[in-house]
Every structure is written in structure tokens, then in C-alpha cells.
Amino acid sequence: KTLQVKLLSFLDDQVIYPLGSTKGVQVNVRVIAATNRDLQAMVQDGEFREDLLFRLNVVRLHLPPLREREGDVRLLLDHFLQLFKSKFHKNLSGFSGQCLQILLEYPYPGNVRELKNIVEFAVNVCQGRDIELDHLPGYLFETLDQSQAERADEGPPVQEPEIKEPLRGQSWPELERDMI
């Protein structure tokens, strides 16, 4: 709560106090704040100051989670593939068809950060021209297995992709150790 009071004071006065100083410095800034929490509920629970919520809530944008923005997933996959190909000096042509299907169906509970990490992992692991299923982190398939089980009543089961060992089920530190 103390930090909330300081932030509210700053938003009202636009004065900051450098560490160790008693003199304030006038600044002209814009504050962009983002959260995945329900601030209205936090206000009702007494965890967030209502006056700070009103002060921050000048322009409110709702950005739906990545799983609700299907077209964005493909764009982001391509963007991060190009980024990491360049960063790691890899000559990759893209994702295999099965790999792309898995990546497009995955719900991405970690949103864009998770998608980015998955692509970075795959580019690091891939030694060929295409990113294949066995280049994806094993946890993706566990999540997909669970969601497929929940949708079992909706139609015929989706065939589980064949994953080459030892990548499936390994954590990043284990995989990194094996690669080294």
C-alpha cells in the first residue's frame, strides 16, 4: 500500500524524489500500466486503492488473451522465428506442418512471452532446416493431451504426434545439459 500512495502522489504532482534527496524534481511523463489482475475486485477486497485506480484508468484498453486471437499466433510465430534465426545465425526455413498445427492449437496460458520462449527453445534445439515436433518443449504435449481429453466428447480424438526421445518430458536445464 505504501508504494500505491507514492505512485498516487507522483501521478497528482508529477514530482519525483531521487533516492537520498529531499528535493523533488518536476517531470513530464506518461504512465502506461498493464495488469492481468481484476483491479476492481482488488479495490473491493481492499488490496488496491480506489483513487489510484481512477487515476490510472484514463484510457482503458482490453487486450484479449492470445488464445482468443488466432490470427495473431501465426504472425507472432513467424516474427519470433525470424528474430531468433537472425540472433542465433540459424538457416531455418520454418515450421513443419505438424509442428505448426500444434503451435496454432496450443492455448498459450503465458500469452506472448510463452510463445516467444517456445520459439526460442525450438530454434536453439533445431539442427536441421525445419522446426519439427521433437524440437518443441515436452510440456506442450502434456497440455494438449489434457485439452484433448476434455474435448473427447466433441468428436474423434486427435492423433497424438510422435515425439522422438529424449526431448519429450525433459526440462530446459536437462535438455541444455544433454546438448552441451
Side-chain angles (χ1 to χ4, degrees):
K1 287 253 184 184
T2 306
L3 186 58
Q4 291 180 33
V5 172
K6 289 181 180 183
L7 182 57
L8 184 61
S9 174
F10 163 73
L11 292 172
D12 286 336
D13 306 335
Q14 293 194 339
V15 173
I16 60 169
Y17 293 89
L19 193 60
S21 175
T22 56
K23 279 177 88 173
V25 177
Q26 187 77 34
V27 293
N28 183 12
V29 297
R30 293 182 186 190
V31 175
I32 299 174
T35 184
N36 62 349
R37 296 185 179 188
D38 183 354
L39 293 181
Q40 199 67 44
M42 290 178 69
V43 166
Q44 291 173 353
D45 294 341
E47 298 173 12
F48 198 83
R49 293 179 59 104
E50 187 173 32
D51 49 353
L52 179 56
L53 175 62
F54 292 140
R55 205 61 182 98
L56 290 172
N57 203 12
V58 176
V59 176
R60 187 179 205 160
L61 299 174
H62 172 71
L63 186 62
L66 190 54
R67 67 182 163 273
E68 295 176 12
R69 302 185 333 247
E70 291 177 25
D72 290 358
V73 172
R74 181 58 197 257
L75 293 171
L76 289 166
L77 285 169
D78 292 341
H79 168 73
F80 289 128
L81 178 63
Q82 294 305 316
L83 176 79
F84 292 120
K85 276 174 42 175
S86 175
K87 181 176 181 179
F88 301 126
H89 308 289
K90 294 271 191 139
N91 188 18
L92 298 172
S93 58
F95 300 98
S96 72
Q98 284 183 313
C99 181
L100 188 58
Q101 181 181 354
I102 294 293
L103 291 170
L104 292 174
E105 290 176 5
Y106 184 70
Y108 297 100
N111 281 309
V112 177
R113 284 188 192 100
E114 182 179 19
L115 183 146
K116 180 181 178 185
N117 290 342
I118 289 168
V119 175
E120 183 176 9
F121 176 91
V123 169
N124 271 300
V125 171
C126 183
Q127 299 299 317
R129 294 267 303 140
D130 287 331
I131 294 177
E132 303 286 346
L133 291 175
D134 59 341
H135 300 132
L136 298 177
Y139 76 88
L140 290 178
F141 302 100
E142 295 165 9
T143 304
L144 287 171
D145 290 345
Q146 290 172 354
S147 65
Q148 287 171 0
E150 292 169 3
R151 294 183 305 197
D153 296 334
E154 295 178 17
V158 177
Q159 185 177 355
E160 182 176 326
E162 185 178 318
I163 307 302
K164 296 178 194 170
E165 297 298 332
L167 296 181
R168 185 172 185 169
Q170 280 190 306
S171 68
W172 175 247
E174 293 169 333
L175 183 61
E176 189 175 35
R177 184 185 67 239
D178 290 348
M179 287 171 48
I180 291 170

